[in-house]
Amino acid sequence: MSQAIRVWRLRKDHTWIEARLRDCVGTPEIELQFFYDGALVLARRCPTRDAAFATADTYLRDLQRVGWNTHW
């Protein structure tokens, strides 16, 4: 796998959640990773980069609805 790129980061109280994308070497898939205070807690493969961004955006909106704020 290659270097991950940050899609977004959210903060609530004294903790943060971050979404990152990584290319899956040898396949056209993209891995969408979620980190909670720096620890990888969820990773899922998406068939395309557009699908990965759309999935990350869905998670972002859901987390913002329950009080998480954008933090870069």
Side-chain angles (χ1 to χ4, degrees):
M1 293 213 172
S2 64
Q3 182 73 11
I5 60 164
R6 182 189 302 166
V7 178
W8 50 254
R9 178 185 277 181
L10 298 175
R11 188 166 195 79
K12 185 175 180 182
D13 298 325
H14 298 286
T15 193
W16 55 271
I17 297 175
E18 183 172 278
R20 299 179 193 168
L21 296 182
R22 287 182 76 136
D23 292 323
C24 296
V25 176
T27 74
E29 295 179 326
I30 303 294
E31 185 174 73
L32 175 58
Q33 303 173 326
F34 294 94
F35 292 83
Y36 184 85
D37 281 342
L40 179 64
V41 293
L42 176 69
R44 62 181 290 184
R45 287 186 175 204
C46 299
T48 65
R49 185 169 293 275
D50 288 341
F53 275 114
T55 301
D57 188 56
T58 299
Y59 279 97
L60 172 65
R61 284 182 278 130
D62 289 345
L63 289 165
Q64 287 175 320
R65 257 190 291 279
V66 294
W68 288 83
N69 298 302
T70 305
H71 174 76
W72 203 256

